[in-house]
Amino acid sequence: MSNRVVVTGLGCISSAGHNVKAFTETLFSHNDVNTIAPVSTFKTTNRSHIAAEVKNYDPTQFFSAVQLKQLDRFAQFALISAQEAINDAQITFSEHLSHRTCVIHGTSIGGQETIENAYQQLFSEGKKRTHPFTVPKLLPSAATSQISMKYGIKGPAFSTSSACSSSGHAIAIATMMLRCNMVDVAIVGGAEACITEGNFMAWDGLRVLSTDTCRPFCANRSGLVIGEGAGTLILETHAHAQKRHARIYAEISGIGMSSDAHNLVQPLAEGAEMAMTAALADSKLNAEQIQYINAHGSGTLQNDRTETQAIHQVFKEHAQQLKVSSTKSIHGHVLGAGAAIESIATILAMTKQMLPPTRNHQKADKDCDLNYVINHPSKQKINHAMSNSFAFGGLNVALLLSQYNEPS
């Protein structure tokens, strides 16, 4: 029999707050939240000019000048969220446990700020060489390496990069490793910091960026809003968590993964269906037992329509009973960190027994006809919830999270 996998620590930083406490307050606020605003770090002449930036962030409050020479912004966010999650879990890594712990931290793009700074130096300023730490800083695995070095983790450590599903795959892979007794503890999540001039122009070239704000499932939605930040969760086998009397937030009850094998940018409902169906089968729960879905809900015309169709196909008549929301309307699309941050949002929803809303919704779309939580949080009993991540290239992850119950 495979091990049960539980969540014992949470940490995050995003436009919705620099830590879980601030994130929770923003997520469940009954007032308007100003988390999406005009880009502040560069002047944009594109059709879109908004993003979900981490505001009032001063890296010198967290890192020394020497450390910052080796840390891209995305790795900074990863370390900040990892430290919060580890502190929250109240876990200490002994020599033995360091060998029985893995670090899996995802990112879609990695050190984009470092890349663009290097190009600026070489091709605009005419410099002959870049900073010697340019390559170690820009690597997608840099955040994982920094976390493992800081805490002395000597078990498996690697990065996942599957576009917007990166941290979802990290959580799923870690869950499998914990289930099969390869490790006892996993530090998992994702980080992203790509609100840079070049990357923003590239996304704008796809014509998927919003021109006003993020309005998932709304008839007048105009696209996604790029966000930045990081989310980290501490996962443990149930036996390990019990042995050290850890507080348990939730249980990872099911994981599902699939590939559309269809198109680089166009979503396919069948791929999303396969991931959700696989998660349900893995959990051994019935579709009727799921009360809430934290949707991928990117705010693009195609995604929201396709995801709605997929949810109808998987949940049948129960689809209209489900509550659905997209927290990307609050923290933006944090790409490779999105699944981790949204899993944290889902766990907080179960903890508070309250659903986070889809903000900025104005007008119903006939093709998006589920029971969405609109504009304001809503009290709801939640025992089992799903969090979806559907990435470019058709790379899909669905995670099922359940209220923790002590074994009888």
Side-chain angles (χ1 to χ4, degrees), residues 63-135:
F63 307 101
S64 69
V66 173
Q67 289 174 312
L68 288 172
K69 289 180 180 179
Q70 301 182 37
L71 295 172
D72 184 88
R73 187 176 173 96
F74 97 100
Q76 296 169 33
F77 290 156
L79 282 166
I80 290 167
S81 69
Q83 180 173 321
E84 184 183 16
I86 289 167
N87 290 345
D88 186 43
Q90 298 183 354
I91 191 167
T92 302
F93 297 101
S94 64
E95 180 65 18
H96 172 73
L97 185 56
S98 72
H99 288 268
R100 294 286 301 167
T101 300
C102 69
V103 182
I104 311 176
H105 228 261
T107 184
S108 177
I109 294 177
Q112 184 67 24
E113 186 177 66
T114 296
I115 293 170
E116 293 197 24
N117 286 343
Y119 287 170
Q120 172 75 16
Q121 292 166 1
L122 292 172
F123 305 126
S124 181
E125 300 172 9
K127 293 185 178 180
K128 300 300 182 184
R129 63 191 293 266
T130 64
H131 192 282
F133 284 123
T134 297
V135 171

Side-chain angles (χ1 to χ4, degrees), residues 208-283:
V208 295
L209 295 186
S210 172
T211 54
D212 55 357
T213 192
C214 184
R215 306 182 191 280
F217 307 109
C218 184
N220 59 333
R221 63 192 183 278
S222 62
L224 62 86
V225 171
I226 295 288
E228 63 176 356
T232 299
L233 301 86
I234 305 302
L235 309 185
E236 301 184 50
T237 63
H238 180 245
H240 187 272
Q242 272 201 320
K243 184 177 180 180
R244 68 181 194 88
H245 306 291
R247 175 191 53 196
I248 294 174
Y249 281 104
E251 182 170 355
I252 308 285
S253 51
I255 57 173
M257 298 176 278
S258 71
S259 172
D260 292 357
H262 169 65
N263 190 281
L264 270 178
V265 293
Q266 292 178 353
L268 189 70
E270 287 86 345
E273 291 167 27
M274 286 189 290
M276 289 187 281
T277 300
L280 284 167
D282 183 54
S283 71

Side-chain angles (χ1 to χ4, degrees), residues 326-392:
S326 170
T327 53
K328 286 183 176 70
S329 59
I330 300 170
H331 52 67
H333 196 336
V334 200
L335 305 182
I341 291 173
E342 289 158 28
S343 292
I344 291 170
T346 305
I347 290 168
L348 293 173
M350 287 196 296
T351 301
K352 293 177 70 67
Q353 295 290 284
M354 183 175 288
L355 302 174
T358 302
R359 295 278 182 180
N360 311 312
H361 196 282
Q362 294 179 328
K363 183 180 178 183
D365 183 339
K366 63 180 178 60
D367 293 324
C368 298
D369 57 352
L370 294 169
N371 194 0
Y372 306 110
V373 184
I374 293 174
N375 293 330
H376 299 286
S378 171
K379 287 188 177 295
Q380 171 80 29
K381 181 175 176 60
I382 316 167
N383 295 319
H384 307 286
M386 181 177 283
S387 182
N388 288 337
S389 297
F390 306 136
F392 272 174

Side-chain angles (χ1 to χ4, degrees), residues 14-173:
S14 72
S15 68
H18 290 195
N19 50 52
V20 171
K21 182 175 184 289
F23 180 69
T24 304
E25 291 172 357
T26 303
L27 201 65
F28 298 102
S29 174
H30 287 274
N31 302 316
D32 290 338
V33 294
N34 299 312
T35 53
I36 295 172
V39 177
S40 66
T41 51
F42 56 87
K43 185 177 181 179
T44 174
T45 57
N46 304 316
R47 57 189 289 275
S48 178
H49 63 282
I50 54 173
E53 297 174 298
V54 176
K55 299 291 188 185
N56 304 313
Y57 171 67
D58 179 2
T60 63
Q61 292 183 355
F62 300 92
F63 307 101
S64 69
V66 173
Q67 289 174 312
L68 288 172
K69 289 180 180 179
Q70 301 182 37
L71 295 172
D72 184 88
R73 187 176 173 96
F74 97 100
Q76 296 169 33
F77 290 156
L79 282 166
I80 290 167
S81 69
Q83 180 173 321
E84 184 183 16
I86 289 167
N87 290 345
D88 186 43
Q90 298 183 354
I91 191 167
T92 302
F93 297 101
S94 64
E95 180 65 18
H96 172 73
L97 185 56
S98 72
H99 288 268
R100 294 286 301 167
T101 300
C102 69
V103 182
I104 311 176
H105 228 261
T107 184
S108 177
I109 294 177
Q112 184 67 24
E113 186 177 66
T114 296
I115 293 170
E116 293 197 24
N117 286 343
Y119 287 170
Q120 172 75 16
Q121 292 166 1
L122 292 172
F123 305 126
S124 181
E125 300 172 9
K127 293 185 178 180
K128 300 300 182 184
R129 63 191 293 266
T130 64
H131 192 282
F133 284 123
T134 297
V135 171
K137 283 173 68 177
L138 66 83
L139 292 173
S141 58
T144 294
S145 296
Q146 292 289 348
I147 293 168
S148 66
M149 290 187 293
K150 180 173 181 178
Y151 298 101
I153 305 304
K154 298 174 181 177
F158 53 92
S159 176
T160 50
S161 187
S162 48
C164 311
S165 292
S166 299
S167 55
H169 279 117
I171 293 168
I173 292 168

